[in-house]
Amino acid sequence: MTDEIFMREALRIAKFAEGRTSPNPLVGAVIVRDGKIIAQGWHRKAGTPHAEIHALNMAGELARGATLFVTLEPCSHFGRTPPCARAIVDAGIKKVVAAMSDPNPKVAGRGFEILRAAGIEVEVGLLEDEARKLNEVFLKWVMKKLPFITLKFACSLDGKIATVGGESQWISCEESRKFSHGLRDINDAILVGVGTVIADNPSLTTRLVDGKNPVRVIIDSNARIPLDAKVVTEKSARTIIAVTSNASPEKISALKNHGVEIITAGNGQRVDLKILMQELAAREITSILVEGGGTIHFAMLEAGLVDKIFAFVAPKIIGGSQALTAVEGAGFEKLSDAVNLENFSAQKLGEDFLLSGYVREATT
């Protein structure tokens, strides 16, 4: 039970850097001596010291003969920083308890091999499920070469995201909007369709104190986006526009002159979303928040790209057969084809309910 307490502390502090370590994982480490935590550390940002190094530096000579609890296997390779496994050996740590092994092919057990070869006792698997959830973004990116996709929308009780007249601000309450900006803060990128940009001209930034603005990704098959759109003119965040080969070369050139990045994904009438996700992952974009609208939502779901859903449901009835809904597109013809969620939960946010869950993977 005591070991579990130490590992839970390592998991807790790892989360301090949520949204800041990409493309690296979230990692926490604590050093224990005589049943007490004497040092701790967490990875703060890619290219900076890892969690183990922060903890070892804090412990100093007291690390010799102590036990290290860490949420992920210590790295074994030279990347942007030296290997942590070697530093642990040099510090004289006696035992390492890790929540899970690192699936990154550059590590994949080699960190543990270095430790064991040096005579350090190694235990693996304590609170592994919690550690995997902590790093669900990193695990998908490193194992599938795809970003972790979260689909988020705010709607009325009858599923409308706008009135018949197009009014959508604000369906959700202030607490929900603050939570939404928190989601922008922890994701690498935010994705919308060009229709949303044309209709609302959003900035797609994070309006939080010390918030981090995500990369703005716009699905715009034919490069229809206005050159005076905020996502083009405002330089507070990087903007990527995904087009097809049908897009006007002159418009693409004009967008590039504004500092916009262009990704050509597909030769048809629509952007190939799977190709786009692969391209974004290759650019070390590991997590994406999809904010609509309904056509993009359905396209992402139909393509099987969505991992998690957040739905903010307001206690309002809007009605109207022509009013926009949260998920549109062609829709699924059969209930057996519908997207099902698991690990479903609900919580109260001000006047709203936040419903969330993970998309259940198809079994066929």
Side-chain angles (χ1 to χ4, degrees):
M1 182 60 72
T2 302
D3 282 1
E4 186 173 307
I5 291 173
F6 296 141
M7 187 62 77
R8 288 198 183 281
E9 177 63 10
L11 290 165
R12 185 185 72 84
I13 63 176
K15 202 171 174 65
F16 288 167
E18 188 175 20
R20 301 299 186 271
T21 63
S22 180
N24 289 355
L26 293 165
V27 183
V30 299
I31 296 176
V32 175
R33 191 181 186 94
D34 299 326
K36 295 181 180 179
I37 295 176
I38 61 168
Q40 61 184 25
W42 62 92
H43 184 40
R44 289 162 168 77
K45 184 179 179 181
T48 66
H50 292 182
E52 301 95 318
I53 304 304
H54 284 297
L56 291 172
N57 289 340
M58 183 177 179
E61 281 301 313
L62 291 175
R64 195 163 299 278
T67 298
L68 170 70
F69 289 80
V70 63
T71 58
L72 186 69
E73 176 182 359
C75 65
S76 57
H77 63 290
F78 280 90
R80 297 174 184 175
T81 59
C84 292
R86 294 292 180 189
I88 292 168
V89 171
D90 293 342
I93 288 288
K94 180 181 179 181
K95 180 179 179 180
V96 171
V97 180
M100 61 177 289
S101 58
D102 189 340
N104 187 339
K106 295 178 180 179
V107 185
R110 295 183 186 90
F112 294 144
E113 289 175 5
I114 291 172
L115 299 177
R116 290 186 174 114
I120 296 174
E121 182 183 352
V122 176
E123 292 183 6
V124 185
L126 181 62
L127 299 184
E128 181 173 355
D129 288 345
E130 288 89 336
R132 286 188 171 278
K133 188 174 189 308
L134 172 74
N135 273 312
E136 59 190 8
V137 168
F138 171 75
L139 292 176
K140 184 182 180 185
W141 179 73
V142 79
M143 296 175 71
K144 297 186 177 181
K145 309 301 182 188
L146 290 170
F148 187 92
I149 308 296
T150 300
L151 190 155
K152 166 257 166 183
F153 57 84
C155 65
S156 62
L157 193 59
D158 54 338
K160 307 297 183 180
I161 60 173
T163 66
V164 176
E167 185 180 352
S168 62
Q169 294 182 334
W170 298 101
I171 288 177
S172 58
C173 67
E174 183 177 348
E175 290 85 350
S176 293
R177 297 196 296 273
K178 184 176 180 180
F179 190 102
S180 296
H181 282 282
L183 291 176
R184 291 185 181 185
D185 177 63
I186 63 174
N187 277 273
D188 290 348
I190 180 172
L191 182 149
V192 301
V194 69
T196 296
V197 174
I198 292 172
D200 301 333
N201 195 22
S203 296
L204 301 180
T205 52
T206 302
R207 289 183 283 280
L208 296 177
V209 176
D210 298 324
K212 171 183 66 65
N213 288 331
V215 177
R216 301 173 293 203
V217 180
I218 315 300
I219 306 295
D220 187 9
S221 300
N222 297 308
R224 295 190 296 124
I225 191 168
L227 292 177
D228 60 353
K230 290 179 181 178
V231 294
V232 174
T233 61
E234 293 181 358
K235 308 304 179 185
S236 54
R238 176 178 158 204
T239 297
I240 296 173
I241 297 181
V243 301
T244 68
S245 58
N246 293 333
S248 161
E250 292 78 17
K251 185 65 173 292
I252 288 175
S253 178
L255 289 167
K256 288 181 176 179
N257 287 337
H258 278 80
V260 171
E261 299 174 50
I262 301 293
I263 293 179
T264 302
N267 300 317
Q269 293 299 313
R270 295 182 180 180
V271 166
D272 188 314
L273 294 174
K274 292 183 179 179
I275 292 176
L276 175 60
M277 295 306 122
Q278 292 167 353
E279 290 287 339
L280 293 173
R283 287 164 168 78
E284 296 190 341
I285 291 176
T286 66
S287 58
I288 300 175
L289 179 67
V290 179
E291 286 200 8
T295 301
I296 291 294
H297 290 172
F298 178 74
M300 293 290 291
L301 289 165
E302 185 181 36
L305 294 169
V306 177
D307 298 288
K308 191 173 185 178
I309 293 178
F310 284 104
F312 300 86
V313 181
K316 298 179 174 75
I317 302 292
I318 293 175
S321 60
Q322 301 303 311
L324 295 176
T325 58
V327 181
E328 299 197 325
F332 297 110
E333 289 188 10
K334 301 177 181 178
L335 279 176
S336 58
D337 295 330
V339 173
N340 291 290
L341 301 187
E342 58 189 8
N343 298 324
F344 195 71
S345 65
Q347 68 182 90
K348 195 81 161 56
L349 280 179
E351 296 178 346
D352 302 340
F353 271 99
L354 170 58
L355 309 179
S356 61
Y358 291 85
V359 173
R360 185 181 301 161
E361 292 189 18
T363 56
T364 57

